[in-house]
Amino acid sequence: MDEADDNKPEQIHIAFTGISSERIVNYVTPSPTLQPETVVVYGTTPDKLNSKATGESFVFGTGGHNFTIHNVKLTGLKPDTRYYYQVGVPDNGTSEVMSFFTKDGDLVFAVYGDMGFTNAVSLNRLIQEVNNGGYDAVIHVGDMAYDMYEKDGTTGDDFVRSIQPIATKVPYMVLPGNHEKKDNFTHYLHRFSNMELGVGQTSGSGTSLWWSLDIGLIHFVGFDSEVYYYYPDKGQIQRQLNWLEVDLIKANQNRDKTPWIVSLAHKAWFMEKTNFSVFGPLLHKYGVDLHLCGHAHNYQRLYPTYNGSVDKPTDNHVYVNPKFKTVIVAGSAGSHEKLSNWTRAPDRLSAKYIYDYGYGHLQAINRTHLYWTWENTHENVRPVMQDYLWIVQEHHGMRDLYEEQNQVPKELDDLKKDIQI
């Protein structure tokens, strides 16, 4: 058999770039020696793929398992349009014809962390729901495959193949978790290099480790909560903090257009091997409404809280003009580590705790109403909504850094000096 016969594109996934008229496609061809042209053909009908985009490729691998990764940016896409596309070139092999929809407006986001290749309990439900149009994009807040480097990197291959039925239909946005740390996060950085070439460029971060983008009424800002413990280059800490503050300043200047600010990371402030002594004041000061994360293999929803103060609502499912950001943990999509009861927020801060597999949905209904739901996906249980939350905010904007008790926390500059870099 000719080598090209075994070199068809696989592990295909798309992502937002931060520009509404673009998507960026990432795919793999298994051979490290055959390096075919990086091509995506596309159009608005499946039998007329008249547009062609080309990109770049590079060889990647660890432990003797090497392959070629391709990235192609599609530009000039029209809103509310279904595009059909095919990756690869005929003399090397092409994918089947796939499609995605460029929804214009307020999207529904499927949100979860901590989904591996083994025991990926939520995967079948995610595939079923995306086929039914139940959500418009995925946000995976770290810990993928468990782990991508395992078995000479073939676990990473298996994982990206497993999410392909989702990630070829809707943008699959990712952030790193502690399970991506091996060899300075190299598998994450290369396998999801479309993040760096997309939102990494448009947000000014220059990396896939932290990024931001505006979608509808939401400004998403994703940061790397693992930076304190897993990087040999401690200057990375300050680079991220500098970028994060500039990004949040710009986001507040743009709140007439994108009133909601949602932060994303693998961890929250009460979890181990991270440091929110600077993240926390930044997110509070610049009026972040909601922080979504994973890491703990359970579901948790906190009351709005900051520095020990709690803004407890009269209705457990409706937070009206909360003074502080809300933290939600959605870290039980399913992995071989299964569920866990560790890493729980203090009881007095907890509005809801669920020990089950599942994932969440997020949607900005309008300028004042943000809606969140969480459904279980246990294999032996019919999926059902087990939690929901309305955040009603009529006064978007920056907050005072002072605590409720009028105690002044350290100023931001002083906090930065505390970090040894």
Side-chain angles (χ1 to χ4, degrees):
M1 181 179 290
D2 189 275
E3 187 179 2
D5 294 335
D6 293 326
N7 203 40
K8 290 182 64 174
E10 59 173 58
Q11 302 179 49
I12 306 162
H13 53 102
I14 65 174
F16 293 119
T17 70
I19 298 173
S20 60
S21 60
E22 295 181 352
R23 298 291 185 272
I24 186 164
V25 184
N26 178 291
Y27 66 94
V28 163
T29 48
S31 172
T33 55
L34 292 177
Q35 296 184 36
E37 186 182 12
T38 301
V39 172
V40 175
V41 292
Y42 60 103
T44 54
T45 57
D47 56 347
K48 292 184 180 179
L49 306 179
N50 296 327
S51 298
K52 177 181 177 180
T54 59
E56 297 183 352
S57 66
F58 59 90
V59 174
F60 172 72
T62 56
H65 171 55
N66 300 308
F67 46 91
T68 305
I69 296 177
H70 305 256
N71 286 290
V72 186
K73 191 176 290 184
L74 310 184
T75 62
L77 304 176
K78 297 178 181 179
D80 289 328
T81 303
R82 180 159 297 280
Y83 283 91
Y84 297 86
Y85 69 107
Q86 186 178 53
V87 307
V89 291
D91 61 354
N92 183 78
T94 57
S95 71
E96 63 181 359
V97 176
M98 303 161 290
S99 73
F100 61 84
F101 186 72
T102 56
K103 184 175 179 180
D104 187 30
D106 297 308
L107 284 64
V108 176
F109 298 88
V111 182
Y112 52 87
D114 305 77
M115 188 170 77
F117 174 66
T118 301
N119 196 43
V121 175
S122 298
L123 182 62
N124 287 339
R125 173 63 180 165
L126 284 161
I127 293 172
Q128 178 185 2
E129 192 180 5
V130 79
N131 289 336
N132 293 331
Y135 56 87
D136 306 297
V138 166
I139 299 174
H140 189 151
V141 286
D143 279 9
M144 291 163 267
Y146 284 74
D147 291 346
M148 286 190 278
Y149 75 90
E150 295 280 2
K151 299 179 181 178
D152 290 338
T154 60
T155 299
D157 296 343
D158 290 338
F159 173 76
V160 183
R161 290 190 196 108
S162 75
I163 64 169
Q164 181 171 303
I166 303 166
T168 53
K169 295 180 177 70
V170 299
Y172 201 96
M173 310 300 289
V174 295
L175 282 165
N178 53 288
H179 277 272
E180 282 70 66
K181 67 181 182 291
K182 179 73 171 179
D183 296 328
N184 204 21
F185 293 73
T186 186
H187 273 268
Y188 171 84
L189 291 168
H190 289 87
R191 291 179 183 273
F192 292 95
S193 50
N194 58 338
M195 299 292 296
E196 176 183 342
L197 298 172
V199 289
Q201 288 185 357
T202 57
S203 68
S205 74
T207 179
S208 58
L209 296 170
W210 57 83
W211 48 264
S212 69
L213 80 158
D214 294 339
I215 297 288
L217 296 172
I218 302 176
H219 177 77
F220 288 103
V221 54
F223 61 92
D224 181 5
S225 58
E226 312 312 294
V227 69
Y228 287 91
Y229 281 85
Y230 300 115
Y231 286 97
D233 175 13
K234 294 301 182 181
Q236 193 88 313
I237 294 172
Q238 194 62 52
R239 285 192 291 273
Q240 178 173 222
L241 290 173
N242 292 343
W243 171 86
L244 180 60
E245 184 161 21
V246 169
D247 185 84
L248 289 171
I249 289 171
K250 291 178 179 177
N252 273 276
Q253 293 170 346
N254 198 38
R255 280 193 116 140
D256 285 344
K257 184 178 179 182
T258 51
W260 297 99
I261 300 180
V262 175
S263 61
L264 311 164
H266 183 56
K267 292 174 183 171
W269 59 267
F270 57 88
M271 297 176 179
E272 77 282 355
K273 293 186 177 179
T274 190
N275 186 337
F276 272 70
S277 64
V278 179
F279 289 141
L282 279 175
L283 302 182
H284 177 75
K285 175 181 178 181
Y286 291 104
V288 170
D289 299 287
L290 175 64
H291 179 71
L292 299 173
C293 63
H295 188 59
H297 297 176
N298 49 54
Y299 172 75
Q300 302 178 57
R301 172 167 59 85
L302 276 59
Y303 295 118
T305 182
Y306 175 66
N307 258 8
S309 297
V310 183
D311 185 10
K312 210 161 189 177
T314 55
D315 185 332
N316 189 47
H317 294 282
V318 183
Y319 298 171
V320 179
N321 295 323
K323 298 176 183 178
F324 314 123
K325 74 177 181 299
T326 300
V327 173
I328 292 177
V329 181
S332 59
S335 76
H336 72 81
E337 292 185 352
K338 301 184 179 179
L339 298 171
S340 67
N341 268 315
W342 47 261
T343 313
R344 292 183 61 172
D347 287 344
R348 72 183 188 89
L349 306 181
S350 179
K352 188 75 172 182
Y353 173 84
I354 301 173
Y355 183 77
D356 202 353
Y357 294 104
Y359 60 92
H361 294 82
L362 178 70
Q363 184 178 18
I365 303 300
N366 54 39
R367 297 183 58 83
T368 57
H369 289 70
L370 192 70
Y371 185 51
W372 166 267
T373 62
W374 190 87
E375 293 80 27
N376 72 314
T377 54
H378 196 283
E379 292 173 313
N380 299 320
V381 179
R382 182 179 178 181
V384 62
M385 185 174 71
Q386 293 191 325
D387 190 35
Y388 72 93
L389 174 67
W390 287 96
I391 299 179
V392 181
Q393 183 56 263
E394 300 166 304
H395 312 293
H396 296 284
M398 294 179 62
R399 302 186 184 102
D400 197 325
L401 270 178
Y402 288 79
E403 296 186 59
E404 286 288 278
Q405 298 90 343
N406 294 321
Q407 296 175 347
V408 184
K410 290 184 179 181
E411 292 298 327
L412 190 61
D413 289 342
D414 292 334
L415 285 166
K416 288 179 180 178
K417 291 175 185 176
D418 288 345
I419 302 171
Q420 296 180 359
I421 59 173

